[in-house]
Amino acid sequence: MIARSGAGPLRRLAVLRHAKSAWPQGVADHERPLAPRGRRDGPAAGRALAEADCLPDLALCSTAVRARQTWDLASAQWGTPPPVRFDDRLYAADAAALLDVVQSAPREVETLLLIGHNPGLEELVLELAGDGLDDALDEVRTKFPTAAIAVLAWRGPSWQSLAPGTALLTSVIVPRGKKP
């Protein structure tokens, strides 16, 4: 059951796992680029967020090359992309570290996009979701693949009010781009 804070606007956290990355020999993990499938799925993720009416007011993105490229491809699908903050704390972060970053988002942001890596993102979604619509929780528990998007919603006066078990997992989307 979701703990109800009662006060505050409806807030949404869209969690986007970076698109499929390549594994070039001799390239450090942080510097790995997107694979061809990732370059197709990145724009599909942007379109999926737009179609779900879940365009963010602010994006927080890992500094890893594959996450930054995912952001570039996804946000290029929108008329005017929101501001983005590249944060090295999001690279290889666990759920607790990710939550700390999310909780520092400005109060005026109502929809926040978080772009990062597994297993931290999957753990964060499962920790925050007190409940889920349909089979959304089971989907995340089973697999949170590259380019997957989980949308969490709750009411609260600020991002600091987001705590484990307080959000509703409203949807899980796994967009895929078409092969040429």
Side-chain angles (χ1 to χ4, degrees):
M1 188 53 109
I2 299 173
R4 307 226 187 268
S5 62
L10 177 66
R11 296 183 185 276
R12 294 182 302 170
L13 174 63
V15 177
L16 170 58
R17 183 176 174 198
H18 66 76
K20 182 75 174 168
S21 61
W23 293 84
Q25 191 169 2
V27 174
D29 183 72
H30 188 272
E31 304 307 311
R32 289 191 298 118
L34 292 179
R37 188 179 99 197
R39 290 191 298 273
R40 291 190 306 270
D41 292 349
R47 290 189 298 274
L49 284 164
E51 289 165 7
D53 195 25
C54 195
L55 294 181
D57 302 311
L58 174 68
L60 302 175
C61 183
S62 164
T63 56
V65 169
R66 59 194 179 274
R68 293 174 70 107
Q69 288 177 333
T70 299
W71 160 253
D72 289 342
L73 292 168
S75 65
Q77 303 303 303
W78 312 327
T80 304
V84 60
R85 294 182 185 167
F86 298 102
D87 192 323
D88 60 0
R89 296 175 296 169
L90 299 176
Y91 175 69
D94 64 14
L98 291 169
L99 182 56
D100 283 345
V101 175
V102 168
Q103 288 175 330
S104 70
R107 179 183 292 270
E108 63 272 10
V109 171
E110 291 185 1
T111 300
L112 180 67
L113 174 61
L114 179 66
I115 304 171
H117 314 270
N118 254 5
L121 290 182
E122 179 178 329
E123 293 166 356
L124 178 69
V125 169
L126 294 174
E127 184 175 304
L128 293 176
D131 203 355
L133 296 180
D134 302 320
D135 59 353
L137 277 169
D138 288 336
E139 284 183 57
V140 174
R141 284 185 191 113
T142 301
K143 187 174 184 180
F144 195 61
T146 55
I149 302 165
V151 180
L152 297 144
W154 85 102
R155 289 197 180 275
S158 72
W159 288 93
Q160 287 182 321
S161 67
L162 179 58
T166 61
L168 176 67
L169 181 59
T170 60
S171 64
V172 177
I173 307 162
V174 183
R176 293 292 181 233
K178 293 181 181 169
K179 291 183 180 181

